[in-house]
Amino acid sequence: MSQGSIPIFEIISTAAITILALLNYFSVRASRQMAKEMREVRLAQFKPLLHPRLETGGGVIEGEEASDMKGVLNLVVENIGEGPALDVDLKVSGAVMDSWHTGFLAEGKNLSKRIPRPSQPHHGAKAPGQPGMNKEGQAPVSVTVEASYKDLFGNPIKVEVTYSLVYNTKDQPEVRLVRTILKG
């Protein structure tokens, strides 16, 4: 070999070390991604999921007349997830305004609260059967339920459910789900 030339063995050795370094880099990167996914799966086992829903009617509470139950709505919030919900704030807005707080809602459990009857607009401007009106000529009212809470690890979660209510001729509300939004 002449002075200044690079031996073939050094070139091959350098290329092999470079290839091994790249393989090692990609292997470490894949391992980190797999560990992150496994952690997310483990955490999902303890994630609460609150499901707020409006129900019509309900049992007569002691001291109430059956006629007082006409058009009554109950808000039921059920934890259908796998972990407890902490620091739960519930807010009802739209045609009904109400809110309350509870510190803890275990998995598989629910809260129930009677909410005030929504004020319904009785507009005679539109004839029954027109878009947005029921057959009696009443416009639907909107009620939105927002539940903000945390999981065991302090991660915030928020679910927002919007309902449309139309009262029939018997003055009973027909509840229709409009949309559900889950964040967190």
Side-chain angles (χ1 to χ4, degrees), residues 3-81:
Q3 193 83 336
S5 70
I6 302 174
I8 286 283
F9 177 72
E10 288 181 21
I11 293 173
I12 293 173
S13 176
T14 302
I17 290 172
T18 302
I19 291 170
L20 285 174
L22 285 172
L23 290 173
N24 193 29
Y25 168 76
F26 288 115
S27 175
V28 167
R29 202 169 140 193
S31 293
R32 282 187 179 170
Q33 181 64 27
M34 197 174 356
K36 180 180 174 186
E37 290 171 4
M38 288 182 349
R39 181 178 187 275
E40 289 173 2
V41 167
R42 275 195 327 269
L43 292 179
Q45 293 175 349
F46 302 106
K47 192 165 191 155
L49 179 58
L50 297 188
H51 175 60
R53 66 184 186 275
L54 289 178
E55 295 179 348
T56 59
V60 176
I61 294 177
E62 188 177 326
E64 287 184 325
E65 296 291 324
S67 61
D68 294 340
M69 299 303 295
K70 199 178 221 182
V72 166
L73 291 173
N74 289 321
L75 174 61
V76 178
V77 180
E78 185 177 7
N79 185 350
I80 59 174

Side-chain angles (χ1 to χ4, degrees), residues 12 19 53 73 78 84 89 105 114 116 133 149 163-164:
I12 293 173
I19 291 170
R53 66 184 186 275
L73 291 173
E78 185 177 7
D89 287 313
L105 183 58
R114 186 161 294 155
M133 304 296 273
Y149 55 99
Y163 292 95
S164 175

